[in-house]
């Protein structure tokens, strides 16, 4: 891949990226959330077409207009979310859309023999071609995806965060598979945040940052610390509001030994006037922790003050609010007016709202503050301000922000930053999740890092991005 | 109000057409007679509106109306003293059926389409079993006054309709109405805002059941006792609501427009009647309207979204 550029409306995602992969090589692609890894892979797989740049296979320039083009040319991609049909057998999934035919009918026997042979080659004996996919574990389903790739004679297999959904014991199985693939001469492009895996598997590493390639190096020339520096090393050019002027006040929320299906051993205190940043890789349990504190996906063990919420209504009654990660699917009723959205929490509690709506909208700097407009017509930043207004109506003590500035333009971002700080100054306890490390570090009075559903460590204000990444990636 | 405009325009055109064909329509008496005929459907449509705007369906209202009328006739059996107790009982029964519909839908997570279709069959089977095909008993004259009589020049049913419309408007402006809309629009966001989504939806079904009870009281008086009195009403009510521009799937549309939709449908039937077109065609017309209204709604939607994104 040479000189790949790609923009989406409103954002340039990739700038002039080169990437070369050799036969039988395991090539790791790493970078922070949003560095452009997934987009680059989707271009290779024919899901997106590049704005500029070329792709060449065995020296021949190719152009993929559709994922099936890429598949025919020998590029298979295995996504984070598996795309198998749960109610079909393994063999049916492997040959989906290109079933072998005999006299016009699907030749099941041929399908099953071929699938069985590939499973044998991979040394997989825990399930067979006739098993239903829904009965398989996530790791086994990945094996099916790989078999599917091999059955079309894939020469490049792209794996996007393949271990994200795997249990520790299953990761070994995946490593073995990756090595078998490379022994067969298949090139594996391996995307991961987890540095340990990269040092375990990769021959070479390409680092992406903010949509551009930083470097490609053989793994032998790299150390963990060096890799982290390559991933995050950037100037802090953004401006963030000043830190807390007073020392933090009373503890407004405390958890001891909190846990549920995804979280374990969570000890956390949030104090008045303080912004606590919550860092972690995707899948580390950040959103889950916010939802547990709020009561949407409650803790099932551990102690909490105020009383551990068993439901959203408990959480709200205890003075906790959650600004959700995805405002369109979880935060707003898009066809309702700004006013109706802003008043939703208050109305659900049958509470009277002290402040007139218009004042509230001005307070969150909604511009223009038009209460009758349907929120779906608002920009991302303004929508987020409406979500914020919704919580201010009930004056919570603790406000949890999950990626509050995702998909928000620069101006609105600064306004939201100021607002969050202002709320803390007014005596609220704030927890803020952000995948953008500069934002997280720039905003927070201290940072808590999660890894695999547990707290990996605490860091003071103005810690380096490297320090956060070290804890988050577990190196 | 702006959102109600299309259906109000259509209604106005139809009313003018009726007036041209039948000048008696312009006199208060003629007009009130029309409103009186439309009232039961309008009330039923208002009830259906709550359910549809919450993202669900209530198909049980037609056979509920029948059941209510049959029960009323059997229990009153011509005894004037039984009128008021039975009216109260009918309201309670309607609310109860709505409660069952709502709880099965929300708690057991059975799609409301299936729940209320089941209820439709259960109720019509029960009515058939109970009456053996021909309802027994009789309504009292007092009971029939609701549907037939009037206070001075104004029919009781018109007064009841006015009260019902006022109640519906008040409800939709209340906390309940606003949270109902939000829950129909985005149940996840509503839940995460502390809305008791299940309770709000169940309440919508209860309101629909109540509206069926009121509709039954009016229809019983107006049309008398029969085992077919409510037949097809559920589809008329849904057609009316959809005609009013209320989106299936929930969260969008106004109650006033839904009620206007009921009037529009009634006006259309009146018009067909005036021009001597067979009543048998009513179903066909209804079917056409239903499909066209929904198609129009979904064709309009992406266009609007597009114009919005270019201005954003």
């Amino acid at each position: 891949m040479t000189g790949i550029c790609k923009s989406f409306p409103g954002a340039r995602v990739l700038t002039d990226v080169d990437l070369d992969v050799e036969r039988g090589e395991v090539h790791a692609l790493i970078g922070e959330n949003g560095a452009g890894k997934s987009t680059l892979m989707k271009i290779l797989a024919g899901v997106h077409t590049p704005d500029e740049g070329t792709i060449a296979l065995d020296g021949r320039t190719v152009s993929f207009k559709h994922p099936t083009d890429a598949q025919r040319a020998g590029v298979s991609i295995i996504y984070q979310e598996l795309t198998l049909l749960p109610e079909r057998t393994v063999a049916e999934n492997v040959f989906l859309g290109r079933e072998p035919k005999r006299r016009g009918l699907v030749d099941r026997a041929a399908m099953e023999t071929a699938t069985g042979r590939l499973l044998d080659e991979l040394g997989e004996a825990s399930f067979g071609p006739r098993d239903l996919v829904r009965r398989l574990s996530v790791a086994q389903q990945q094996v099916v995806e790989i078999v599917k790739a091999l059955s079309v004679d894939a020469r490049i297999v792209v794996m996007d965060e393949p271990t994200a959904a795997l249990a520790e014991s299953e990761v070994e199985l995946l490593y073995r598979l990756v090595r078998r693939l490379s022994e067969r001469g298949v090139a594996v492009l391996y995307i991961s945040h987890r540095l340990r895996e990269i040092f375990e598997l990769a021959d070479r590493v390409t680092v992406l940052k903010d949509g551009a390639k930083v470097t490609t190096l053989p793994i032998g020339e790299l150390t963990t610390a060096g890799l982290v520096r390559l991933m995050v090393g950037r100037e802090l050019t953004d401006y963030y509001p000043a830190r807390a002027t007073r020392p933090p006040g009373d503890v407004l929320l405390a958890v001891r030994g909190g846990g549920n299906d995804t979280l374990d051993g969570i000890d956390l205190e949030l104090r008045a006037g303080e912004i606590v940043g919550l860092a972690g890789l995707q899948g580390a349990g950040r959103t889950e922790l916010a939802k547990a504190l709020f009561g949407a996906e409650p803790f099932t063990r551990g102690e909490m003050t105020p009383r551990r919420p068993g439901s959203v209504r408990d959480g709200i009654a205890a003075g906790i609010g959650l600004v959700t990660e995805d405002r369109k699917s979880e935060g707003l009723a898009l066809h309702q007016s700004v006013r109706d959205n802003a008043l939703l929490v208050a109305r659900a509690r049958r509470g009277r709202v002290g402040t007139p709506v218009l004042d509230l909208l001005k307070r969150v700097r909604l511009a223009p503050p038009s209460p009758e407009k349907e929120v779906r017509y608002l920009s991302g930043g303004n929508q987020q301000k409406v979500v914020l207004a919704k919580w201010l109506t009930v004056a919570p003590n603790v406000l949890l922000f999950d990626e509050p500035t995702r998909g928000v333009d620069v101006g609105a971002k600064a306004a939201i930053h100021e607002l969050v700080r202002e709320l803390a100054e007014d005596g609220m306890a704030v927890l803020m999740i952000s995948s953008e490390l500069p934002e997280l570090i720039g905003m927070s009075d201290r940072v808590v890092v999660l890894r695999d559903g547990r707290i990996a460590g605490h860091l003071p204000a103005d810690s380096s991005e490297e320090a956060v990444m070290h804890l988050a990636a577990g190196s | 109000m702006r959102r109600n405009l299309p259906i109000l325009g259509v209604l106005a055109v139809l009313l003018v057409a009726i007036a041209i064909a039948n000048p008696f329509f312009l006199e208060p008496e003629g007009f009130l007679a029309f409103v009186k005929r439309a009232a039961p459907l309008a009330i039923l449509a208002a009830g259906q509106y709550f359910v549809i705007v919450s993202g669900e369906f209530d198909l049980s209202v037609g056979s509920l109306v029948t059941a209510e009328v049959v029960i009323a006739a059997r229990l009153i059996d011509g005894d004037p003293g039984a009128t008021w107790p039975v009216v109260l009982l009918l309201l309670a029964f309607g609310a109860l059926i709505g409660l069952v519909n709502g709880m099965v839908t929300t708690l057991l997570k059975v799609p409301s389409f299936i729940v209320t279709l089941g209820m439709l069959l259960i109720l019509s089977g029960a009515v058939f079993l109970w009456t053996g095909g021909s309802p027994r008993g009789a309504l009292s004259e007092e009971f029939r006054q609701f549907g037939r009589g009037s206070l001075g020049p104004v029919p009781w049913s018109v007064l009841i309709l006015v009260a019902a419309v006022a109640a519906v408007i008040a409800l939709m402006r209340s906390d309940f109405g606003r949270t109902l809309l939000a829950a129909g629009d985005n149940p996840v966001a509503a839940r995460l805002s502390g809305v008791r989504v299940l309770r709000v939806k169940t309440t919508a079904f209860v309101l629909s059941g109540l509206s069926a009870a009121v509709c039954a009281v009016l229809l019983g008086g107006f049309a008398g006792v029969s085992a077919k009195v409510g037949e097809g009403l559920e589809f008329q009510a849904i057609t009316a609501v959809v005609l009013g521009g209320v989106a299936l799937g929930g969260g969008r549309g106004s109650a006033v427009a839904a009620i206007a939709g009921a009037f529009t449908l009634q006006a259309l039937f009146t018009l067909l009647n005036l021009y001597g077109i067979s009543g048998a065609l009513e179903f066909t017309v209804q079917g056409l309207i239903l499909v066209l209204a929904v198609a129009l709604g979904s064709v309009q939607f992406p266009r609007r979204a597009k114009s919005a994104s270019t201005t954003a």
Side-chain angles (χ1 to χ4, degrees), chain B residues 148-208:
Chain B
R148 274 208 298 215
S150 38
L151 179 70
V154 188
W156 280 112
S157 57
V158 175
L159 294 174
I160 292 170
L161 173 66
V162 169
V165 171
V168 167
I169 291 176
L171 262 178
M172 286 318 290
R173 291 191 178 172
S174 71
D175 285 352
F176 162 75
R178 306 327 286 173
T179 49
L180 177 72
L181 273 166
D185 189 355
N186 187 344
V188 178
R191 185 179 70 86
L192 289 174
S193 298
V195 175
R196 291 180 165 109
V197 175
L198 305 188
R199 186 186 289 192
V200 167
K201 280 194 172 188
T202 303
T203 310
F205 280 100
V206 170
L207 287 168
S208 178

Side-chain angles (χ1 to χ4, degrees), chain A residues 50-105:
Chain A
D51 299 338
E52 284 170 50
T54 56
I55 304 172
L57 268 177
D58 298 330
R60 267 207 343 269
T61 302
V62 288
S63 129
F64 302 143
K65 301 218 159 31
H66 192 271
T68 47
D69 294 347
Q71 209 182 50
R72 273 196 212 105
V75 180
S76 281
I77 186 161
I78 295 166
Y79 291 101
Q80 278 171 33
E81 293 92 24
L82 300 175
T83 53
L84 299 173
L85 306 179
E87 296 294 338
R88 307 276 88 182
T89 66
V90 169
E92 283 167 337
N93 268 286
V94 167
F95 283 96
L96 187 70
R98 37 184 197 89
E99 292 82 355
K101 297 273 167 58
R102 210 172 58 157
R103 290 195 221 111
L105 296 175

Side-chain angles (χ1 to χ4, degrees), chain B residues 277-292:
Chain B
I277 296 166
S278 162
L281 216 59
E282 281 188 8
F283 280 113
T284 312
V285 169
Q286 237 177 278
L288 281 174
I289 292 175
L290 197 59
V291 175
L292 281 179

Side-chain angles (χ1 to χ4, degrees), chain A residues 28-44:
Chain A
L29 187 62
I30 66 166
E32 290 177 289
N33 300 337
K37 299 169 302 219
S38 293
T39 309
L40 186 63
M41 289 308 99
K42 282 181 179 164
I43 288 173
L44 180 59

Side-chain angles (χ1 to χ4, degrees), chain A residues 313 332 335-336 340 377 390, chain B residues 178 185-186 193-194 196 251 308:
Chain A
R313 291 181 66 85
L332 294 166
H335 296 95
Q336 311 307 313
D340 284 338
Y377 296 127
K390 178 173 93 169
Chain B
R178 306 327 286 173
D185 189 355
N186 187 344
S193 298
R196 291 180 165 109

Side-chain angles (χ1 to χ4, degrees), chain A residues 291 294-297 312-313 316 322 324 327-337 340 344-352 374 376-379 390-391, chain B residues 2-3 173-176 178-196 199-200 250-252 301 304-305 307-309 311-312:
Chain A
K291 286 197 167 163
F294 177 58
E297 290 167 15
V312 169
R313 291 181 66 85
I316 295 172
L322 170 66
T324 50
R327 55 186 168 267
K328 287 207 168 91
S329 70
E330 297 190 329
L332 294 166
L334 289 172
H335 296 95
Q336 311 307 313
S337 68
D340 284 338
L344 189 55
V345 177
R347 278 172 170 156
R349 294 184 64 195
R350 302 280 153 106
R352 291 275 67 87
E374 284 181 31
R376 66 185 160 135
Y377 296 127
L378 266 46
S379 68
K390 178 173 93 169
W391 289 110
Chain B
R2 194 158 33 105
R3 278 192 288 184
R173 291 191 178 172
S174 71
D175 285 352
F176 162 75
R178 306 327 286 173
T179 49
L180 177 72
L181 273 166
D185 189 355
N186 187 344
V188 178
R191 185 179 70 86
L192 289 174
S193 298
V195 175
R196 291 180 165 109
R199 186 186 289 192
V200 167
R252 275 176 293 161
F301 173 65
R304 266 191 222 148
S307 69
S309 67
T311 56

Side-chain angles (χ1 to χ4, degrees), chain B residues 211-294:
Chain B
S211 80
V214 175
C215 175
V217 171
L218 297 186
L219 272 183
F222 186 75
V225 182
S226 103
K228 298 195 155 192
V229 62
E231 217 172 64
L233 272 185
E234 61 282 335
F235 293 113
Q236 287 191 19
I238 292 172
T239 308
V241 172
V242 168
L243 193 57
V246 178
L248 300 178
R252 275 176 293 161
S254 91
V256 174
I259 292 165
F263 274 94
T264 308
L265 201 60
Q266 190 66 46
L268 208 60
F269 292 157
T270 308
L271 210 56
L272 290 176
N273 212 353
L274 278 175
Y275 285 98
I277 296 166
S278 162
L281 216 59
E282 281 188 8
F283 280 113
T284 312
V285 169
Q286 237 177 278
L288 281 174
I289 292 175
L290 197 59
V291 175
L292 281 179
V294 174

